[in-house]
Amino acid sequence: MRHIAIIPARAGSKSIINKNLIKLDGKETLVDRAVRLVKESKIFNQIILTTDIPTLIEQYSDNKTITLRERPDNLCTDTARMFDTIKECIEHFKLNGWIWLIQPTSPFRTPYQMRSIKPLVNSEAYASFISVVDVGAYHPNRVYKRKNKKLFPIIKTNFDNKQELPELFIRNGLYYIFKAKDLIKHQTFYVTPCYGLVCEEHESVNIDGPRDFELAKITFKELTYGRVH
């Protein structure tokens, strides 16, 4: 079955101006990094870049290894959903096979990691795959909602120690993998049975705001100089 990577890059980020074009090392944009790592994995039959960023459209318009999709205007707004962007690509190109959603703002995937995941995907034992990381200190047992200045626990708790809390995970944005036909049928990235790809904390840096960017630059340096194990 075909494996297709879809790399989305929208222009209108408010948290960081031109977020998809920022550089961890001063040389390579997040989009260029995502494209390079996906190509280096050598597992994909097709790589699609869906974007409304003029510089990326110009850069990749003549690239024979990348399928460029100029994103429709209705998918370029702050309220546009990632799901709708991926669905539009699937329908526009009439895609069939396994879709890998590769978000540039989750930059710490590796070609080796993608090659390691592919046999599990090919086993057909699961209908979808979502990468996750342990919630750590932000466990729901420690979470409250606030109403009229009063706190109410989301989950009634006896203030258990961290090691006594049930193991829970949160999506980290590194991978969403599913069949094109299943996304259209079920209208979601999550299709059961869904396999949880558990990632390390340093792999799970997701650049949403300026502080995330600073953490990503630190993580990049640590990975480059072998300080993360």
Side-chain angles (χ1 to χ4, degrees):
M1 186 171 287
R2 286 166 55 82
H3 289 258
I4 303 159
I6 299 181
I7 303 173
R10 187 173 65 85
S13 172
K14 290 183 178 179
S15 56
I16 302 177
I17 302 301
N18 294 324
K19 181 168 63 175
N20 285 297
L21 301 181
I22 60 177
K23 302 174 181 179
L24 297 179
D25 58 356
K27 300 177 182 178
E28 186 178 48
T29 70
L30 293 183
V31 170
D32 290 341
R33 177 181 175 86
V35 169
R36 175 177 60 81
L37 295 176
V38 164
K39 290 173 67 173
E40 288 179 358
S41 75
K42 298 181 179 179
I43 68 168
F44 293 102
N45 303 98
Q46 186 176 10
I47 303 170
I48 299 172
L49 173 62
T50 170
T51 185
D52 62 326
I53 302 175
T55 55
L56 292 178
I57 293 172
E58 181 179 1
Q59 177 183 348
Y60 286 99
S61 60
D62 294 325
N63 191 314
K64 298 186 184 304
T65 63
I66 304 297
T67 302
L68 180 66
R69 173 59 176 158
E70 293 191 34
R71 192 179 298 194
D73 290 342
N74 66 306
L75 296 176
C76 300
T77 66
D78 291 334
T79 57
R81 298 188 305 164
M82 181 64 71
F83 170 84
D84 294 319
T85 298
I86 303 306
K87 181 182 177 184
E88 193 277 335
C89 267
I90 291 173
E91 293 178 335
H92 177 79
F93 291 111
K94 297 179 173 56
L95 301 178
N96 188 29
W98 286 102
I99 305 297
W100 297 52
L101 168 53
I102 303 293
Q103 300 184 93
T105 49
S106 295
F108 296 114
R109 63 183 61 82
T110 67
Y112 173 79
Q113 186 181 53
M114 287 181 268
R115 287 194 294 270
S116 299
I117 293 171
K118 185 180 178 182
L120 183 59
V121 176
N122 284 342
S123 73
E124 297 282 346
Y126 302 92
S128 64
F129 301 77
I130 296 177
S131 59
V132 295
V133 64
D134 193 295
V135 297
Y138 299 101
H139 198 283
N141 284 49
R142 297 177 170 183
V143 175
Y144 296 81
K145 60 181 177 180
R146 186 170 181 264
K147 185 176 182 181
N148 297 326
K149 299 183 179 180
K150 296 178 182 179
L151 291 180
F152 300 90
I154 299 297
I155 299 174
K156 190 174 181 179
T157 175
N158 289 322
F159 294 88
D160 296 328
N161 292 327
K162 179 181 176 181
Q163 59 269 27
E164 297 172 333
L165 296 174
E167 192 176 44
L168 294 177
F169 300 89
I170 188 170
R171 304 189 304 263
N172 67 0
L174 209 59
Y175 299 104
Y176 294 90
I177 308 170
F178 46 87
K179 289 180 180 177
K181 65 178 183 179
D182 284 341
L183 180 133
I184 301 300
K185 179 180 178 180
H186 299 288
Q187 297 291 295
T188 179
F189 297 137
Y190 175 84
V191 184
T192 58
C194 179
Y195 186 92
L197 299 164
V198 180
C199 300
E200 299 293 335
E201 186 176 355
H202 70 268
E203 297 173 310
S204 303
V205 178
N206 190 339
I207 304 173
D208 187 47
R211 293 187 67 178
D212 301 321
F213 183 33
E214 293 305 315
L215 177 58
K217 288 192 289 186
I218 292 170
T219 302
F220 177 83
K221 290 180 180 179
E222 290 177 341
L223 288 169
T224 300
Y225 296 105
R227 296 174 187 170
V228 174
H229 302 284

